[in-house]
Amino acid sequence: MSKFLTSLMIFLILLFSGVVRANDVYTFYVVDYPPYIMASNDDLTIHGIDVEVVKAAFNSQEVKVIFERLPWKRIIRSMQEGRIAGTVSCSKRELRESFMYFSDPISHVRRAILSKNNLDTGNIRTLSDLNRYSVVTVSSWGMQKELVNSDIKHRSSPDLVSALKAVLYRNMDILYMAEYPALYYLKKLGMQTELKVSELQGEKPLPLHLCISQKFPNSERLKVAMNKGLRAIKANGLYDSIVSKYLQASDR
């Protein structure tokens, strides 16, 4: 065999061994985090805002992805070792940057306040402003820890439905929680005409990303494909359609 043909074969092997091909299937592992990821053991399917966004973005690039459940600690350990492609979704942290690639943001987490429609919340700009109101949150959630650390008086409810009812029927002014879960559960429970969700005015959203193990094969190309696909579904309106399906009332 000539040197030219030998070189060409080596080039082709290297080229196609590192390409994200249409017939490849990549598995991303998740935990239940409504409405971003709906992956409870009672649900046969895995869906949610971030899951559908990631799937649509990769579909636009002819890359097939599927999703499976795993405990969070096993996901992180497996990503460190390069045994899985990655997870949907996670925030960018310094400790993770040594073994993860992060896509462009696919959604965000932002603290918010839920109240009756007639309550004026325009003057609530920081967490300390909540001291002027009666506040409820869900016991053991991260939001309650913030209230405790900030020394803000509040009541706790055992679950989200009880907390919502405390605002609706028991004269609590505000439920302190995250924006997207608040919007999602208002829609799910049909309370959108009675309660509203307001952002904390000084709050900066925390971006959430598709997180890819750096040691996994084709990881950099997966990131490129995801970012390209994300731009495509934002341009054609599919991204907004996915978010609206989970958060907005059907009559809007």
Side-chain angles (χ1 to χ4, degrees):
M1 184 180 295
S2 68
K3 290 184 178 180
F4 172 76
L5 289 176
T6 302
S7 299
L8 179 60
M9 288 181 65
I10 293 173
F11 171 76
L12 291 173
I13 291 170
L14 292 174
L15 176 65
F16 288 104
S17 64
V19 171
V20 177
R21 296 182 291 268
N23 60 340
D24 289 337
V25 180
Y26 296 91
T27 304
F28 289 91
Y29 292 85
V30 300
V31 295
D32 190 46
Y33 186 32
Y36 304 93
I37 303 142
M38 318 285 277
S40 68
N41 292 329
D42 298 332
D43 198 338
L44 297 177
T45 63
I46 296 175
H47 55 108
I49 296 173
D50 290 3
V51 168
E52 291 197 31
V53 165
V54 169
K55 187 174 182 179
F58 275 124
N59 279 347
S60 75
Q61 305 304 303
E62 299 184 343
V63 178
K64 184 176 181 181
V65 295
I66 59 175
F67 306 91
E68 294 185 9
R69 301 170 181 85
L70 265 185
W72 182 248
K73 288 183 179 180
R74 284 184 61 188
I75 290 174
I76 296 299
R77 184 169 62 250
S78 297
M79 290 183 67
Q80 288 174 322
E81 296 170 356
R83 291 189 284 112
I84 63 173
T87 186
V88 183
S89 29
C90 67
S91 58
K92 184 182 292 188
R93 298 182 185 177
E94 186 175 352
L95 290 176
R96 296 173 179 172
E97 291 180 353
S98 63
F99 64 95
M100 290 186 187
Y101 291 128
F102 301 92
S103 73
D104 292 340
I106 56 179
S107 62
H108 67 268
V109 175
R110 179 167 24 214
R111 297 179 299 174
I113 49 178
L114 187 149
S115 67
K116 289 183 178 178
N117 288 323
N118 59 4
L119 182 69
D120 183 5
T121 56
N123 292 324
I124 303 177
R125 298 184 176 276
T126 65
L127 203 58
S128 62
D129 293 331
L130 295 181
N131 277 316
R132 301 196 299 269
Y133 302 85
S134 58
V135 179
V136 65
T137 193
V138 180
S139 179
S140 300
W141 281 19
M143 299 299 181
Q144 185 186 31
K145 294 177 182 178
E146 291 182 18
L147 295 176
V148 171
N149 292 337
S150 299
D151 199 24
I152 295 173
K153 291 183 179 180
H154 65 279
R155 294 183 183 179
S156 62
S157 291
D159 53 57
L160 183 58
V161 174
S162 299
L164 287 167
K165 289 181 177 178
V167 175
L168 196 55
Y169 303 118
R170 299 186 190 121
N171 296 320
M172 297 301 295
D173 292 326
I174 285 170
L175 167 58
Y176 179 57
M177 61 181 298
E179 179 189 22
Y180 274 16
L183 290 169
Y184 169 74
Y185 281 104
L186 283 189
K187 177 179 180 178
K188 182 179 180 180
L189 299 172
M191 295 181 175
Q192 290 168 310
T193 60
E194 301 167 283
L195 300 173
K196 66 178 180 180
V197 178
S198 307
E199 298 175 2
L200 286 177
Q201 298 300 311
E203 175 73 2
K204 291 184 178 180
L206 174 67
L208 297 178
H209 310 262
L210 173 70
C211 299
I212 303 168
S213 170
Q214 292 181 11
K215 291 183 178 180
F216 195 79
N218 296 329
S219 57
E220 291 187 71
R221 290 178 172 84
L222 281 172
K223 177 184 173 182
V224 170
M226 175 60 195
N227 288 343
K228 187 176 180 180
L230 188 59
R231 291 192 294 270
I233 65 171
K234 286 185 174 182
N236 65 23
L238 181 54
Y239 178 92
D240 289 337
S241 177
I242 292 170
V243 174
S244 296
K245 181 173 76 171
Y246 286 90
L247 303 184
Q248 292 186 6
S250 58
D251 58 351
R252 289 184 181 178

